[in-house]
């Protein structure tokens, strides 16, 4: 009977490792938000997901508001604001399998 439990344990362990190894890589379009600098522009491959009536994000540096911070990677980056009326600017992108993910990004 001990051999049965040992074999069953190894079977369950193998299944759990298979699930870990089966994770997919999520590929984003234009992950570094490259585009022509400008005020109220959304980079190619992304769309404005903010509230209606609120301003879209900006492509920086050089997109207005005297922003001169250089990008960490590439030529441009996305500038977004949080407003005192509890709204903010947002961008989104449809994922291939409609997954929802949280991504870590560089903030300045």
């Amino acid at each position: 009977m001990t051999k049965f439990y040992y074999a069953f344990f190894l079977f369950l362990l193998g299944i759990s490792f298979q699930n870990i190894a089966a994770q997919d890589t999520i590929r984003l379009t234009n992950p570094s938000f490259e585009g022509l600098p400008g005020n109220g522009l959304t980079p190619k491959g992304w769309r404005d997901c903010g509230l209606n009536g609120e301003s879209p994000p900006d492509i920086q540096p050089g997109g207005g508001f005297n922003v001169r911070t250089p990008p960490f990677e590439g030529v441009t980056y996305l500038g977004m604001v949080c407003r005192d009326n509890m709204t903010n600017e947002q961008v989104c992108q449809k994922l291939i399998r409609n997954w929802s993910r949280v991504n870590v990004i560089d903030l300045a």
Side-chain angles (χ1 to χ4, degrees):
M1 193 65 148
T2 304
K3 288 183 181 182
F4 172 76
Y5 287 121
Y6 181 70
F8 186 68
F9 173 75
L10 289 178
F11 173 74
L12 291 177
L13 189 63
I15 289 175
S16 63
F17 280 123
Q18 179 184 4
N19 289 339
I20 291 171
Q23 294 179 4
D24 291 333
T25 300
I26 297 173
R27 304 212 187 282
L28 298 174
T29 301
N30 192 9
S32 60
F33 307 109
E34 297 297 327
L36 294 174
N39 184 9
L41 300 175
T42 305
K44 185 176 181 176
W46 295 88
R47 63 184 181 102
D48 177 21
C49 295
L51 297 174
N52 288 334
E54 297 290 354
S55 63
D58 311 310
I59 300 177
Q60 301 289 358
F65 306 104
N66 202 25
V67 176
R68 299 193 194 318
T69 305
F72 178 78
E73 179 181 316
V75 179
T76 60
Y77 56 90
L78 196 61
M80 297 188 290
V81 300
C82 293
R83 300 180 192 89
D84 58 4
N85 65 356
M86 305 301 285
T87 63
N88 53 36
E89 295 174 342
Q90 303 173 30
V91 293
C92 59
Q93 187 173 116
K94 185 174 180 176
L95 301 176
I96 294 172
R97 294 187 181 165
N98 294 322
W99 289 332
S100 176
R101 291 283 193 236
V102 175
N103 295 306
V104 177
I105 56 174
D106 292 306
L107 301 174

